[in-house]
Amino acid sequence: MAQRKAAMAAAAFFALLAVASLLCAPAAAELVRLEHPAKNDGSLSLLVVGDWGRKGTYNQSRVAQQMGKVGEQLNIDFVISTGDNFYENGLTGTDDQAFEQSFTDIYTAKSLQKPWYLVLGNHDYRGDALAQLSPVLKKIDSRFICMKSFIVNAEIVNFFFVDTTPFQLKYWTHPKDDHYDWRGVAPREKYINNLLKDLDEAMKKSTAAWKIAVGHHTMRSVSDHGDTKELLQLLLPVLQANGVDFYINGHDHCLEHISSRDSPIQYFTSGGGSRAWRGFFQPNENKLKFFYDGQGFMSLQLYQDQAEFTFYDADGNILYQYSQWSLRETYLRNSYVAKE
C-alpha cells in the first residue's frame, strides 16, 4: 500500500512538472515530423472529415458508417480530421467520456482503425485544449494523433497541419462568453510568427510531389464563416511562396471546392461530419467549383502525378469529383519573408 501511494505521489509530481513546463514554455511552434508509408505502388488513400464530435447525433453516426464503407473500398491509409473534434466546448480533461462517446464508439468500422491525424478547432480550444494533445488519449485509443501544428510525411506527399485558431483575432479580443485555452500559445503575435517561420522552413525543405496544408478555419468559403482574413493575410503568402497545392479545412459545416482567382491553390472544405444544413450561401469573387450544405466527408487518392478528390453525402452517394495533375514545377512564387 505504501509503495502504491509513493508511486501515485511521484506520478502526480511529474505530471505537475509536465504541466508547468507547458505553461512556461516559449510560444514557439516547433513542427514535429511524423512518417507514414505510402502503399507498395507509391500511392496513398485517405478520408477527410471535420466538425464531427457530437456523440453520434446530427447524423454523425450515419456519416461514420459511410466513411467505413468508402474506407474499405479505397483501402485507406489514414484519416484526417479538420478540427472541432468535440462539441460544444472541447474536452474537460483526459478523463472526459466524450472522447469515447464521440470518437471511439462512433468510428468503429474496420477500415477506420487506422491512424487519425487531427488538428484543433475553435470549439476544441474552448475546453482543455492540452487534453487532446495528451498521450493519455492515445493510450485509450491508439488511432488518435492530435497536435497543434505538425507534418506528416507520406513519401509522395507532405501534409502540413496548421493550428489556425490563434490566427483569428476575435477569439482574443471579443471572446464573448467563451473561454479559450491559450496555454502554450500566448502571446499571439510571437506564436504566429514562429509558426509561420517554421512552416516556411519546412515547406522549403520538402521534396515531395505534393504539398498539402490542413487547418481548421476556412481560407476561402461561400458558407457561414466566409473567408478568414487573418489566414489570407498571414498564412496564404507562405503557402503561395512554397508551391502548396491544396488547402484543406473544416469550420464551415459543409462540403465545398473553391478555385482561387489569385493562385493555383485549390481550397477544399470538409466540415460536414455532423451538424450541417445552415442554409447560408454567399458567393464571392473566387471561382466556386462545388458546394453542398449538408453532412458528408471527402476522400483523397494521391499518385505521383495525380490527385483525385471525391465528396460523399451521409448516404455514401458521390456528390462531386475533381482530378488534378501535379503542377509542382509550374507555379513556384518568391520566397516568403517572415516578420522580425
Side-chain angles (χ1 to χ4, degrees), residues 65-311:
Q65 183 180 22
Q66 297 304 324
M67 287 175 62
K69 293 179 180 179
V70 174
E72 183 178 1
Q73 294 168 5
L74 300 182
N75 186 25
I76 61 168
D77 298 283
F78 55 83
V79 180
I80 286 176
S81 169
T82 56
D84 277 1
N85 308 317
F86 303 98
Y87 284 97
E88 285 288 329
N89 298 306
L91 296 177
T92 59
T94 55
D95 59 349
D96 191 337
Q97 292 183 354
F99 175 72
E100 291 166 283
Q101 293 168 346
S102 288
F103 179 63
T104 304
D105 297 342
I106 302 299
Y107 302 101
T108 57
K110 183 178 179 180
S111 67
L112 303 182
Q113 306 308 304
K114 303 287 177 67
W116 282 57
Y117 299 112
L118 308 95
V119 290
L120 297 174
N122 53 299
H123 283 269
D124 299 311
Y125 262 100
R126 293 178 188 175
D128 183 347
L130 298 185
Q132 291 194 49
L133 315 181
S134 171
V136 172
L137 295 189
K138 201 168 186 302
K139 290 181 179 178
I140 298 173
D141 193 321
S142 61
R143 297 177 293 171
F144 196 86
I145 304 171
C146 183
M147 299 179 220
K148 287 186 175 178
S149 296
F150 61 106
I151 302 168
V152 173
N153 173 32
E155 299 182 15
I156 62 171
V157 56
N158 282 168
F159 289 94
F160 299 90
F161 291 79
V162 185
D163 184 23
T164 59
T165 301
F167 283 80
Q168 285 233 302
L169 189 59
K170 68 179 182 180
Y171 298 147
W172 298 80
T173 59
H174 297 86
K176 298 182 180 178
D177 295 329
D178 298 316
H179 167 77
Y180 290 87
D181 185 0
W182 296 130
R183 290 176 294 170
V185 177
R188 174 180 176 270
E189 289 186 9
K190 182 178 180 182
Y191 179 82
I192 291 175
N193 199 36
N194 283 330
L195 174 54
L196 293 175
K197 287 180 180 179
D198 290 340
L199 281 169
D200 183 57
E201 181 179 346
M203 288 176 176
K204 279 182 168 53
K205 291 179 179 177
S206 173
T207 59
W210 300 95
K211 297 180 185 180
I212 301 176
V214 179
H216 174 64
H217 290 79
T218 57
M219 189 89 70
R220 302 284 189 189
S221 176
V222 298
S223 190
D224 187 24
H225 292 104
D227 295 356
T228 303
K229 64 178 183 179
E230 293 93 338
L231 294 184
L232 294 176
Q233 294 169 357
L234 300 171
L235 180 59
L236 181 57
V238 181
L239 307 189
Q240 291 176 323
N242 290 289
V244 168
D245 300 284
F246 311 115
Y247 178 74
I248 298 173
N249 59 271
H251 198 43
D252 267 333
H253 299 180
C254 63
L255 307 174
E256 62 183 331
H257 172 203
I258 290 177
S259 183
S260 176
R261 71 189 186 283
D262 55 10
S263 83
I265 299 174
Q266 302 293 313
Y267 302 96
F268 293 89
T269 297
S270 183
S274 59
R275 188 176 183 180
W277 302 109
R278 288 184 166 177
F280 199 92
F281 180 69
Q282 50 178 1
N284 55 34
E285 62 271 22
N286 294 290
K287 186 174 182 181
L288 178 64
K289 298 267 192 171
F290 172 76
F291 176 75
Y292 178 69
D293 196 32
Q295 291 112 343
F297 60 99
M298 184 177 81
S299 71
L300 172 56
Q301 294 175 272
L302 287 165
Y303 307 90
Q304 184 70 28
D305 58 357
Q306 190 175 15
E308 298 176 358
F309 293 82
T310 304
F311 282 119

